[in-house]
Amino acid sequence: MNNYNKKIGILYILGAAFGFAMMGLFVRLAGELPTFEKVFSRNFVAAVVAFVMLIKGGYKWQNIGRKNWIFLLLRSSCGFVGVICNFYAIDHMNIADASILNKLSPFFAILLSFIILQEKPVMMDILTTVVAFIGAIFVVKPSADFAFLVAMIGVLGGFMAGVAYALVRKMTGGGVTGMFIVFFFSAFSSICCIPLMAINFVTPSTAQFAMLIGSGFSAMIGQICITKAYTYAPAKEISVYDYTQVIYSALLGFIFVGQIPDVLSLLGYIIIISMAVVKWVYNNKKVPD
């Protein structure tokens, strides 16, 4: 693979990580607004931007195929639940903790790819996944209090994101472009949020509205960057850099919210990220350029 392309891919994925970290910060700074309003704002902005990009690119979606439409609905449903869980976790726990639990998704994707894609995991996949989940225990901190429930909601968000990623791989392999998947998911989530928002709608203040718009644009920047990243380099080469989101989230949480992860959480971060690095090194040695 061209080293220049790889470097560009890394820059894009670092940009994506920062975009999603900023999204998390804006979600937290939006305050006590209902989660569904925050999810709507995140996805509505993304849907509009993705739609404009598709129109400008002259994309034709008439020939997607019946099976891919089913996968699109499944991916969007799982992604929608995943975003709700992630945003709820961001609102009720340390931003960096919520971020690392969401980053369990690639490990869940390994397990789910066996079911969805019939891809048999190798021993290294199984080993790194098991150890990563052990690392998650340090972040979750099993107990009988509300904090544990919030952490498990964060884990559920990572699981749903893992399902979504496995389905994205299924669809892109079937000829559906990444930007259309982004648009469909974002539009689907926005529509689903409307009746749920109506149940308990809270009019945001000017500052809160600005935070909601910020979360939407940050998420879209992250989505565009990560899509671009994988057009320059394969996931096995650059995906590990996505974990810088946890570092960004920890720094932003400390600077703007005054959050400091505890020792157990830091240990969990180290274990999970280490397993991502081990898997990345193994995959790159296994399949040469």
Side-chain angles (χ1 to χ4, degrees):
M1 185 187 69
N2 186 300
N3 282 331
Y4 175 78
N5 284 349
K6 181 177 179 180
K7 289 176 182 178
I8 295 297
I10 291 171
L11 288 175
Y12 269 120
I13 208 165
L14 291 174
F18 184 73
F20 287 126
M22 286 298 297
M23 177 201 74
L25 176 65
F26 282 127
V27 167
R28 185 60 177 255
L29 293 178
E32 298 297 321
L33 292 175
T35 300
F36 291 118
E37 289 184 42
K38 296 180 179 182
V39 174
F40 175 82
S41 300
R42 178 252 189 264
N43 285 294
F44 181 74
V45 172
V48 171
V49 175
F51 181 75
V52 170
M53 293 180 71
L54 286 170
I55 294 300
K56 284 187 174 181
Y59 183 71
K60 307 292 184 183
W61 51 70
Q62 291 87 347
N63 299 319
I64 286 178
R66 183 177 297 178
K67 284 187 177 180
N68 281 326
W69 282 112
I70 294 172
F71 290 138
L72 278 166
L73 287 170
L74 287 173
R75 180 266 181 268
S76 298
S77 300
C78 293
F80 178 54
V81 174
V83 172
I84 291 172
C85 291
N86 181 229
F87 278 27
Y88 186 85
I90 289 171
D91 273 337
H92 294 87
M93 67 190 301
N94 188 294
I95 298 174
D97 284 4
S99 177
I100 195 68
L101 293 178
N102 194 250
K103 291 302 177 188
L104 289 172
S105 54
F107 296 102
F108 280 121
I110 290 171
L111 302 177
L112 294 162
S113 290
F114 176 70
I115 300 171
I116 297 173
L117 303 174
Q118 285 78 53
E119 293 179 349
K120 186 177 180 181
V122 298
M123 185 54 66
M124 181 59 72
D125 287 336
I126 296 171
L127 178 63
T128 53
T129 299
V130 170
V131 177
F133 289 151
I134 292 173
I137 293 173
F138 290 97
V139 181
V140 171
K141 304 175 189 67
S143 63
D145 59 14
F146 178 69
F148 174 62
L149 175 61
V150 171
M152 290 308 297
I153 290 174
V155 172
L156 177 61
F159 173 78
M160 287 298 180
V163 177
Y165 291 155
L167 289 168
V168 166
R169 287 188 58 198
K170 182 80 171 179
M171 288 184 288
T172 52
V176 185
T177 69
M179 190 54 64
F180 183 75
I181 295 172
V182 170
F183 164 71
F184 188 91
F185 158 64
S186 301
F188 175 91
S189 299
S190 298
I191 293 169
C192 288
C193 276
I194 292 173
L196 297 170
M197 285 194 304
I199 296 172
N200 182 34
F201 184 77
V202 176
T203 303
S205 66
T206 302
Q208 287 176 321
F209 183 75
M211 294 301 105
L212 293 177
I213 297 299
S215 72
F217 275 104
S218 296
M220 192 60 219
I221 288 170
Q223 201 73 62
I224 291 173
C225 284
I226 205 163
T227 302
K228 286 280 189 180
Y230 293 130
T231 64
Y232 281 94
K236 78 178 185 71
E237 296 280 359
I238 62 174
S239 60
V240 71
Y241 295 96
D242 190 34
Y243 283 82
T244 55
Q245 180 184 336
V246 180
I247 299 172
Y248 294 143
S249 294
L251 290 173
L252 291 170
F254 173 71
I255 295 169
F256 293 98
V257 191
Q259 296 178 339
I260 302 176
D262 61 29
V263 174
L264 288 178
S265 287
L266 287 172
L267 180 59
Y269 300 173
I270 292 169
I271 292 172
I272 294 170
I273 294 173
S274 295
M275 290 305 97
V277 172
V278 167
K279 187 174 181 300
W280 173 67
V281 171
Y282 175 80
N283 286 342
N284 281 289
K285 286 184 177 180
K286 181 181 175 184
V287 184
D289 289 336

